[in-house]
Amino acid sequence: MSTSTTPSVLFVCVHNAGRSQMAAAFLTHLGGPRVQVRSAGSAPADTVNPAVVEALAEVGVDISAETPKVLTTEAVQASDVVITMGCGDACPYFPGKRYLDWQLEDPAGQGVAAVRPIRDEIEQRIRGLLAELGIEPAA
């Protein structure tokens, strides 16, 4: 469970192989220990999208060891902010949580050139989220 001084954020997309992985990686990279980060999918893939891994590596973020995780009710309950990215009605709703829905292009089946603009948009949204949470991004 998160504490009042350490916000907890859960990113959810269908396969937990692209958008939610990128968002979690950027929040972990930029927020460090000042934020708890989770990601999950309503129907997780077997592996993280290789183009997503490559696109993040280009900006110094290594997610090569990450694996898609299944969305659980417990993960939602333990999070202060739940950010969905195309999971539709598969994401459980609990009163008292802050829910955001980020409309982002799905990187599934796309090459690294198509993933870069999605990656860059996610990074900007993460920087905005950190500002809302009152957390200064790491350099």
Side-chain angles (χ1 to χ4, degrees), residues 83-104:
I83 300 176
T84 58
M85 303 171 177
C87 81
D89 295 334
C91 191
Y93 178 83
F94 292 95
K97 304 292 176 194
R98 180 176 173 207
Y99 287 87
L100 301 171
D101 185 45
W102 289 358
Q103 297 295 318
L104 296 160

Side-chain angles (χ1 to χ4, degrees), residues 69-88:
K69 297 162 214 55
V70 68
L71 176 64
T72 65
T73 301
E74 294 76 21
V76 177
Q77 289 175 321
S79 301
D80 301 311
V81 180
V82 179
I83 300 176
T84 58
M85 303 171 177
C87 81

Side-chain angles (χ1 to χ4, degrees), residues 6 19-20 23 30-31 34 46-47 51 56-57 60 63-64 68 73 76 79 83 85 96 98 127-128:
T6 305
R19 296 167 289 190
S20 57
L30 296 170
R34 297 163 294 165
D46 293 328
T47 60
L56 284 173
I63 64 164
S64 60
T73 301
V76 177
S79 301
I83 300 176
M85 303 171 177
R98 180 176 173 207
R127 290 181 180 278

Side-chain angles (χ1 to χ4, degrees), residues 13-16 21 39-45 66-71:
C13 66
V14 175
H15 300 295
N16 190 224
Q21 289 282 349
S39 72
S42 53
E66 294 297 326
T67 57
K69 297 162 214 55
V70 68
L71 176 64

